[in-house]
Amino acid sequence: MKTYRSACPLNCWDQCSFIVKVKDNTVVSIEPDPAQKITGRFICAKGRKHISRLRRPDRLTFPLIKTASGFQQTSWPEALALAAAKIKEALSRYGPLSLLHYYDSGHGGLLKNIESRFFSALGGCTVHKGSLCWSAGLAAQTYDFGAVLSHALDDLSNSRLIIVWGRNPAATARHQLPFILKARQKGARLIVIDPLYTATAALADEHISPRPASDGALALGMAHLIIKEKLVDEVFIRERSSGFAAFRQMVEDYPPEKVSAITGLPAGHIIRLARLYATARPAAILLGYGLQRHSNGGNTIRAIDALAALTGNIGVPGGGVSYANLQVAPYIDSDYLEGEDLKPQRRYYPKPRLAAALQHQLKEPPVQVAYISRANPLVQVGDSAALKRAFAAIPFKIVSDQFMTDTAAAADLVLPCTAFLEEEDLYYNSMSHCYLNYGPKIVDPPGQCRHEYEIMQALARELGATGFPQLPAEELLAKLILPLTREKGITLQQLKAGPLWLPGAKSIPWRHGPFATADGKFNFYASAAENEGSTALPHYQAPRELGNSRLHRQGFRYWFVTPHPADSIHSAHRLPGESKKPQVYLSPQLAEEHGLAQGDRARVSSPRGFLEAEVSVSPKIPPATVMVYEGWWEHSGAAVNNLTSGELTDMGNQAALYDCLCKIEKV
Ligand code: SF4
């Protein structure tokens, strides 16, 4: 038995460090690495599931070419020659912009991102801007603070009040929960704001359930009262912020009665919450990502940031508005990774609009070859039916994956790639902490699986793309962390010794010195937001579909929300047979209204498509809301993005996936 260190590659807040035991080229156990302070005591079932996933019989183990009679096994030389020929033909006839590179976060390894340099070495490509999950919030916090930084989790022990706003750590960030509960034991009050009665809400002192997409109005209503009752931190506002006068004038328009009508919360509750937040200092806010997946999502985050600034809950122990923590990324050589030195041509489209972009925008030149990795866009991107049609029209599609996902099944060439533990890589993909983990190659992959880096190296040789590195993986990793080595003295050798906390990472962001905005202040009024097409002041705007009377007339009246489940992470992780059957969750009132009972089969539809699944009646769901967990594949019958749209949020080129009204009926 041999023991190694590695880390979880999943797109999870926590990024656990692992101790992996291996015998006879087989992973025997995955346990938490006690050297990691945050995740060292336990890992979740998703982490343990890696063991069986590595050896699942349905793992893709050799390249596949689609023929008239279905997929046929082929050899790597043949597969690479075909891919190279298609790319070469597209380059010569239409140029590099006819190549589409689509990727996402299905695997958190740093080396997987080197594909971007491959396309730059070919002259460029068409690639997305923005994201499906979090970029509205990133844009919002960048406008307000200049950068996106979170408080260290152990700083919660300094908080007197913790507001978990739209985040469900009990299901999706399990290692944050002990820090929250410990602070509560020390006397902090815990409030959860979430339309759904989540597992975290069940642990709180108070659960506040505003209507979906009304959180921004709630924050502005709280700001209105805090200013009116002179509960603001005048020193912070005077010395560390800009634009307060304009903000104060704007929030006059959000009195508690008006906000009550928008949120569905009694005005007295809004007033009490505002007073509590302003007086129970220091107060920490932990933001989730669901509340910014609406067409007003970026402004929602900005309104909540403003609350913290008003009350001086910024830069103080126990305070902050923690959304994400991008402290490690600046120490990675992203310019090299992206191939900026190769001066590539690039054509951008907003990621959530992939279907519409393929149908209408990406015409000159048309996309000829698509390369997809770490992603399953045919069920992950909104308006899936339109995307399936547009995807089918691309002449040649290459998908690299470990399993035959919906997207792989629609490809012309499928390349089997390695999983973590079968390859060497570096992991720093936590959204909340600042650990880096090195993961060695521990076991051989099954069949003929190859690391994407090797696939790209081979293709680069075939295509004469000399700008792509042909270095061993270890040397490339060392090159990619050169900024970390130069500025923090951390080498790959040190990272090999075990999980390492980024030296100098800030536990309490913005405690000293200026903010990273242009004027060095917290921006209540952000000209940068205005310059990029949003508004300088955060504001509340009703979500797009809510105001559509035609939809209401057609019966589309209920919010369709698709949060992350506890047992899986996105479709890349929800493999056939691994989860219980999909379910449609709805309140007893809504079930009764539609004659639905527990176990019935229901159809949930939007103007774009539908899904069908078994009904689960739950008092945890608000009355006008239908909930289905995300990640289901098409064959399950419950692929949620058949219903969602390809619309964008108000900033950050992000998918407004939760702006979706639906109707429900018994099948
Ligand atoms: S999914 Fe998250 S909590 Fe579970 S093992 Fe991976 S990083 Fe840890």
Side-chain angles (χ1 to χ4, degrees):
M1 186 93 75
K2 284 192 168 174
T3 302
Y4 300 88
R5 289 193 138 117
S6 191
C8 187
L10 296 179
N11 184 217
C12 169
W13 290 93
D14 294 356
Q15 200 208 48
C16 294
S17 300
F18 288 162
I19 296 285
V20 184
K21 293 202 169 137
V22 174
K23 193 173 180 192
D24 300 332
N25 197 39
T26 301
V27 177
V28 177
S29 69
I30 297 180
E31 299 296 334
D33 184 344
Q36 217 257 50
K37 270 199 321 191
I38 294 167
T39 66
R41 287 178 50 213
F42 65 94
I43 62 170
C44 80
K46 288 169 279 193
R48 293 188 197 284
K49 223 195 283 181
H50 287 301
I51 301 175
S52 55
R53 288 170 60 96
L54 292 173
R55 287 289 178 268
R56 272 181 65 116
D58 53 352
R59 199 64 205 271
L60 296 171
T61 52
F62 39 78
L64 297 166
I65 291 178
K66 190 172 273 171
T67 67
S69 55
F71 281 114
Q72 300 287 332
Q73 180 176 343
T74 187
S75 66
W76 272 108
E78 207 178 318
L80 293 169
L82 176 64
K86 293 291 181 184
I87 291 172
K88 206 179 275 179
E89 186 188 343
L91 285 171
S92 69
R93 288 189 62 195
Y94 297 99
L97 300 186
S98 67
L99 307 176
L100 174 75
H101 180 208
Y102 185 96
Y103 59 91
D104 216 311
S105 38
H107 185 295
L110 172 62
L111 274 189
K112 302 275 189 188
N113 297 285
I114 198 68
E115 293 162 354
S116 296
R117 188 173 179 88
F118 169 77
F119 285 96
S120 295
L122 294 180
C125 65
T126 295
V127 69
H128 53 262
K129 269 191 168 161
S131 77
L132 302 180
C133 61
W134 70 336
S135 50
L138 297 181
Q141 291 220 313
T142 305
Y143 292 142
D144 295 338
F145 301 100
V148 185
L149 309 175
S150 284
H151 282 233
L153 287 166
D154 55 11
D155 180 54
L156 287 170
S157 66
N158 295 312
S159 305
R160 287 186 59 216
L161 171 68
I162 298 171
I163 299 181
V164 177
W165 202 325
R167 193 187 291 189
N168 184 13
T172 59
R174 297 272 306 279
H175 296 88
Q176 296 175 11
L177 203 58
F179 291 92
I180 295 170
L181 296 181
K182 195 167 153 203
R184 185 165 176 259
Q185 268 174 1
K186 266 187 76 186
R189 186 168 177 78
L190 175 61
I191 296 179
V192 169
I193 304 179
D194 199 313
L196 308 170
Y197 185 70
T198 60
T200 308
L203 299 168
D205 296 296
E206 190 177 348
H207 171 225
I208 295 172
S209 173
R211 289 194 184 108
S214 68
D215 309 78
L218 175 58
L220 295 172
M222 290 167 67
H224 172 101
L225 194 101
I226 289 167
I227 293 171
K228 189 174 158 197
E229 297 196 351
K230 299 192 172 30
L231 298 174
V232 298
D233 182 329
E234 288 180 2
V235 176
F236 181 93
I237 290 171
R238 189 175 59 246
E239 296 180 2
R240 301 202 66 195
S241 78
S242 61
F244 173 67
F247 181 79
R248 179 178 54 200
Q249 194 177 2
M250 183 270 299
V251 295
E252 281 175 15
D253 198 28
Y254 293 90
E257 301 70 30
K258 176 177 171 180
V259 171
S260 169
I262 297 170
T263 59
L265 300 171
H269 288 200
I270 297 164
I271 293 167
R272 187 175 48 77
L273 179 64
R275 285 181 184 148
L276 179 66
Y277 179 67
T279 55
R281 289 187 60 197
I285 297 178
L286 306 182
L287 290 173
Y289 297 158
L291 74 169
Q292 48 94 64
R293 288 189 189 124
H294 290 281
S295 53
N296 60 15
N299 276 291
T300 295
I301 303 299
R302 290 201 62 210
I304 297 171
D305 290 347
L307 269 184
L310 275 184
T311 52
N313 272 308
I314 304 289
V316 293
V321 190
S322 295
Y323 175 75
N325 204 359
L326 305 186
Q327 299 205 50
V328 179
Y331 298 99
I332 303 296
D333 191 346
S334 55
D335 279 356
Y336 182 81
L337 205 57
E338 298 280 335
E340 298 303 344
D341 53 309
L342 304 171
K343 307 220 177 323
Q345 292 181 54
R346 291 215 184 95
R347 175 172 61 172
Y348 294 104
Y349 68 92
K351 188 173 203 175
R353 287 219 170 112
L354 179 56
L358 285 170
Q359 285 170 326
H360 309 297
Q361 178 196 342
L362 306 174
K363 293 296 180 194
E364 297 289 339
V367 171
Q368 295 297 295
V369 177
Y371 186 92
I372 293 104
S373 65
R374 292 167 281 149
N376 185 10
L378 293 200
V379 293
Q380 291 173 331
V381 179
D383 204 0
S384 305
L387 180 56
K388 279 168 200 140
R389 289 192 297 274
F391 191 74
I394 298 173
F396 196 74
K397 286 96 56 188
I398 306 168
V399 170
S400 127
D401 211 311
Q402 296 160 19
F403 295 94
M404 188 58 84
T405 63
D406 288 294
T407 308
D412 301 288
L413 178 65
V414 179
L415 304 177
C417 64
T418 47
F420 96 116
L421 305 183
E422 297 166 354
E423 65 208 5
E424 179 180 22
D425 217 326
L426 191 69
Y427 304 94
Y428 64 97
N429 47 307
S430 167
M431 287 90 85
S432 71
H433 66 66
C434 298
Y435 273 104
L436 291 114
N437 290 274
Y438 171 80
K441 179 181 173 192
I442 294 175
V443 291
D444 293 327
Q448 299 174 20
C449 295
R450 287 194 185 179
H451 192 301
E452 283 91 339
Y453 178 42
E454 285 176 45
I455 298 173
M456 292 290 127
Q457 283 182 313
L459 276 174
R461 287 192 296 270
E462 291 259 351
L463 290 160
T466 51
F468 192 75
Q470 296 291 339
L471 305 166
E474 182 172 335
E475 280 181 44
L476 178 57
L477 278 176
K479 189 173 175 56
L480 291 173
I481 62 160
L482 268 179
L484 186 70
T485 307
R486 264 196 314 264
E487 293 171 46
K488 299 285 183 184
I490 302 297
T491 63
L492 197 61
Q493 281 312 111
Q494 283 166 284
L495 290 169
K496 284 182 177 181
L500 196 139
W501 183 262
L502 177 72
K506 293 183 178 70
S507 296
I508 301 159
W510 317 118
R511 192 169 194 181
H512 307 291
F515 288 92
T517 49
D519 64 359
K521 311 261 182 171
F522 175 88
N523 283 192
F524 284 104
Y525 183 100
S527 303
E530 194 168 37
N531 294 341
E532 291 173 15
S534 186
T535 52
L537 289 167
H539 65 282
Y540 169 76
Q541 191 170 349
R544 212 173 278 127
E545 294 204 344
L546 197 63
N548 188 329
S549 53
R550 184 178 51 81
L551 286 181
H552 286 257
R553 279 198 304 278
Q554 292 171 346
F556 299 108
R557 295 202 298 274
Y558 309 120
W559 284 105
F560 181 60
V561 293
T562 56
H564 294 186
D567 67 338
S568 182
I569 296 184
H570 314 315
S571 73
H573 194 254
R574 198 185 276 288
L575 298 180
E578 277 191 349
S579 308
K580 287 187 291 184
K581 280 189 196 153
Q583 295 196 304
V584 175
Y585 296 86
L586 66 165
S587 67
Q589 298 97 307
L590 197 57
E592 191 182 343
E593 200 180 310
H594 291 272
L596 288 160
Q598 184 78 18
D600 280 351
R601 201 159 171 80
R603 171 178 286 213
V604 187
S605 53
S606 80
R608 293 163 289 273
F610 69 91
L611 61 81
E612 289 183 2
E614 193 177 289
V615 166
S616 181
V617 181
S618 168
K620 296 176 181 173
I621 311 295
T625 303
V626 175
M627 187 193 98
V628 180
Y629 285 119
E630 56 103 59
W632 294 104
W633 292 20
E634 199 59 62
H635 68 84
S636 72
V640 297
N641 292 312
N642 285 336
L643 282 76
T644 61
S645 77
E647 293 298 330
L648 298 180
T649 54
D650 46 1
M651 56 188 76
N653 284 304
Q654 190 194 291
L657 291 174
Y658 287 7
D659 259 26
C660 180
L661 292 183
C662 67
K663 63 181 169 189
I664 184 161
E665 58 206 321
K666 198 167 179 171
V667 176

